[in-house]
Amino acid sequence: MVPSRVFDKFAERTGIRDAITKSDEVKRAKEEYTVLRNNIGKLIICLQDNEKKIQDNRESRKRTANQLVEMVKSSPLKDCVSSRNDTESNDDGESKNKTYLSIFNAFDKRQDILLDKFNVYIINYVIEWRKIIKIRVMQALQSFEKLRLEYDHYQRKVSVSFFL
């Protein structure tokens, strides 16, 4: 058996003890993963907040349009604001008079489609990305830590057999 002070002197001179107990790589990888996970979480919150603000803005515009329609019902402006058919179709020619409400409805319909795409393609993508990163990174970190411990074990064996 190797006396403790001999190993201590050898470890002090060669720096082998630092190599054995050092797991800075694992620690740094975990810290970087934590930062990435937190940043992705904040991004998801910002995207969801952005979607909510857009929805709130749409609702506000709807209330404004409806109030405007109510206000001009008995005025000559009603033909400019609304008509019997306030839907806009793509095959309408330039000759058709477009009302404020028909333009608003067409814009709202397009914005609804874009908002759905935003939700599906952006927000859901980032949420899925976070899940995949969590699974893959945690597996890699566990594997890395296991390999590091195995490396330390064999490093100790080599350093002890050096004295025998």
Side-chain angles (χ1 to χ4, degrees):
M1 180 165 236
V2 178
S4 173
R5 60 190 159 104
V6 173
F7 179 74
D8 287 341
K9 282 186 179 185
F10 175 76
E12 183 180 310
R13 288 184 184 163
T14 61
I16 192 97
R17 181 165 302 217
D18 291 338
I20 293 171
T21 59
K22 202 176 204 176
S23 64
D24 287 341
E25 297 90 0
V26 175
K27 190 178 196 180
R28 187 177 65 235
K30 286 180 179 179
E31 289 171 357
E32 289 175 1
Y33 168 67
T34 301
V35 169
L36 177 64
R37 189 183 65 217
N38 290 339
N39 286 337
I40 291 174
K42 289 176 185 176
L43 177 62
I44 291 170
I45 290 170
C46 289
L47 290 171
Q48 289 171 337
D49 184 53
N50 187 28
E51 181 190 25
K52 184 183 179 308
K53 299 283 188 213
I54 292 170
Q55 287 286 10
D56 291 346
N57 193 359
R58 284 181 65 210
E59 292 300 318
S60 176
R61 263 199 310 273
K62 279 184 185 177
R63 286 192 308 272
T64 301
N66 290 335
Q67 182 59 39
L68 187 60
V69 168
E70 286 296 315
M71 191 174 95
V72 297
K73 272 186 178 176
S74 60
S75 78
L77 289 176
K78 74 177 179 181
D79 293 334
C80 296
V81 174
S82 72
S83 65
R84 289 184 192 159
N85 185 11
D86 286 324
T87 59
E88 180 181 348
S89 65
N90 291 336
D91 58 352
D92 291 341
E94 290 294 322
S95 62
K96 181 181 176 191
N97 289 335
K98 299 189 186 228
T99 64
Y100 172 78
L101 201 53
S102 69
I103 294 170
F104 168 79
N105 287 336
F107 177 76
D108 190 55
K109 183 178 177 182
R110 287 184 195 118
Q111 190 174 31
D112 188 44
I113 292 168
L114 293 174
L115 205 57
D116 286 342
K117 286 182 180 181
F118 177 80
N119 188 23
V120 169
Y121 295 117
I122 305 293
I123 296 175
N124 291 344
Y125 177 82
V126 175
I127 291 170
E128 185 68 23
W129 183 36
R130 179 177 61 179
K131 289 177 190 175
I132 291 170
I133 285 176
K134 180 180 179 183
I135 292 167
R136 288 185 180 179
V137 169
M138 292 309 291
Q139 287 174 346
L141 284 175
Q142 289 171 354
S143 173
F144 185 69
E145 196 163 4
K146 182 180 175 184
L147 289 172
R148 182 65 188 179
L149 290 173
E150 191 174 323
Y151 171 77
D152 285 348
H153 169 73
Y154 286 110
Q155 190 72 21
R156 273 189 235 107
K157 273 187 158 185
V158 168
S159 65
V160 169
S161 66
F162 178 73
F163 287 112
L164 296 178

